[in-house]
Amino acid sequence: QMARQNGTRPLWTFGDTGMESLGSDAAHAVALGGDTMMSFLKGDIAGADEVMPDTGLKASVHGDVVHSRPLTINYGAGKIMIFYGVNDGIYRAVDATDGTEKWGFMAPEHMDRIQRLYDNDPLVQYTGQTPEVGLDYAAKDYFFDGSTGQLLEYNDDDALVRAHIYPTQRRGGRMVYGFDVTDPDADPTLLWRLGCPNLDDDVGCSTGFNDIGQTWSTPVGVVVAGYNDGLDPATPKPIIMFGGGFDDCLNEDAATYPTACSGAKGKKVYVLDAETGTLLRTFNTDAPVITDIGFIDVDFDGNVDFGYAADVAGGLYRINFADLASADPENAVSELPVDEWTITKIGQTAGNQTRFYNSPTVAAIKGNIFVTIGTGDRERPLQINYPYQEDVQNRFYAFVDKPY
């Protein structure tokens, strides 16, 4: 209920000058659809068919949270923050100690969807629903509906010295954002925003991101020895990696992998500099990668040696950040520079009916790497989604990979 308090929490967006206070430029209201939409978004007025509550309260707490898993960061000294996306347009930072909103962020690519929330029209068309005559229906709009990645760094005294977060949009869009939230009491700093601002075309895509799909894969922050500051001794620089994302061709209610997905978006794995957003490498896959990337440090030196990705057509891949010379990783791991990183397809399920919608879990016994993963089309959970005659035989797999 604290989130319903109409306080003075700052709202931010991205504009011509970078991070801008929402409403500080007249262009923000224009993009939203007018001053009324700005007031509605901020909680100062109710929607077209709503009534404002008691003085001092917003019309509602916020919109639905469907797929966005809240990210919790413990800053020490009793300070805990929660970060999550909401389908009313605002990505939120909430103080876990008292529930107050510290700040919110409105992506510019989402602004034209606020009018529908205000009007409550057209209504949401649900799967299997019979529309009522005389009413307008359309598919639900999403915003920051994906989960948030993180990169946390602690010093020798276990104090948090770096906290970066990476919100994703799932069906809400094709963008990934990077924010510096190291100081929980300060306003967030935008590190970068990358991807494509439009769901249905590639106009305005960041360089190198035309093939990105809806950003379902939560960015994973790690360090690898081969990407470093170049000094002696070298200090690794953090990277993030994530799958290329979802394509709407996968919405087809069919048991077999859709033929329409031959030209799908998302058939990539992206590796970026976690701080600058510089695109270090992209790796091609046979089908979209919508799940998180698994990773392993086989010699326990603090640097990731291999990543593991799974695509929705049942393919499994190893990303090689290092070479492993023998089954015993002690003194057998050699770092690889960025231009020598590679991807290797190590597995494929039989047939064309099983899909990886779950992320791989990775563990190692010396140089033998165990990759476990289950199949299943989690986006088609209803009986009406399966109009075919034979059941799909989903399984849980455990692979043993020997990258030496």
Side-chain angles (χ1 to χ4, degrees), residues 92 99 205 212 290:
R92 284 171 165 78
C205 291
I212 198 170
I290 70 171

Side-chain angles (χ1 to χ4, degrees), residues 39 41 51 68 73 98 107 146 156 183 232 259 267 298 329 353 393:
S39 297
L41 181 65
V51 177
S68 176
I73 297 180
D98 58 14
D156 293 338
D183 184 348
D232 187 14
T259 56
K267 298 194 288 186
V298 295
Q353 294 187 343
Q393 297 301 313

Side-chain angles (χ1 to χ4, degrees), residues 211-234:
D211 291 326
I212 198 170
Q214 299 166 17
T215 49
W216 288 37
S217 176
T218 306
V220 176
V222 299
V223 292
V224 297
Y227 184 59
N228 53 63
D229 58 11
L231 301 176
D232 187 14

Side-chain angles (χ1 to χ4, degrees), residues 55 106 108 119 138 143 167 181 183 225 229 231 243 264 319 338 341 392 402:
T55 302
M106 177 78 204
D119 294 337
F143 297 84
V181 294
D183 184 348
D229 58 11
L231 301 176
I319 304 167
V338 173
W341 294 348
V392 174
K402 301 179 179 182

Side-chain angles (χ1 to χ4, degrees), residues 36-109:
T36 298
M37 295 306 103
M38 178 67 74
S39 297
F40 170 69
L41 181 65
K42 290 184 174 182
D44 297 333
I45 63 172
D49 58 356
E50 297 177 317
V51 177
M52 284 294 289
D54 295 337
T55 302
L57 297 180
K58 294 181 288 186
S60 62
V61 176
H62 54 44
D64 58 271
V65 181
V66 180
H67 300 106
S68 176
R69 296 191 303 269
L71 171 66
T72 301
I73 297 180
N74 190 337
Y75 288 85
K79 188 70 169 183
I80 299 174
M81 295 290 293
I82 304 173
F83 304 91
Y84 62 100
V86 182
N87 285 316
D88 61 5
I90 302 295
Y91 183 86
R92 284 171 165 78
V94 173
D95 190 328
T97 58
D98 58 14
T100 58
E101 289 185 31
K102 298 293 289 186
W103 53 267
F105 179 81
M106 177 78 204
E109 60 270 18

Side-chain angles (χ1 to χ4, degrees), residues 7 69 76 118 120 165 197 205 253 302 362:
R69 296 191 303 269
Y118 174 81
N120 196 28
I165 61 173
C205 291
D253 285 335
V362 188

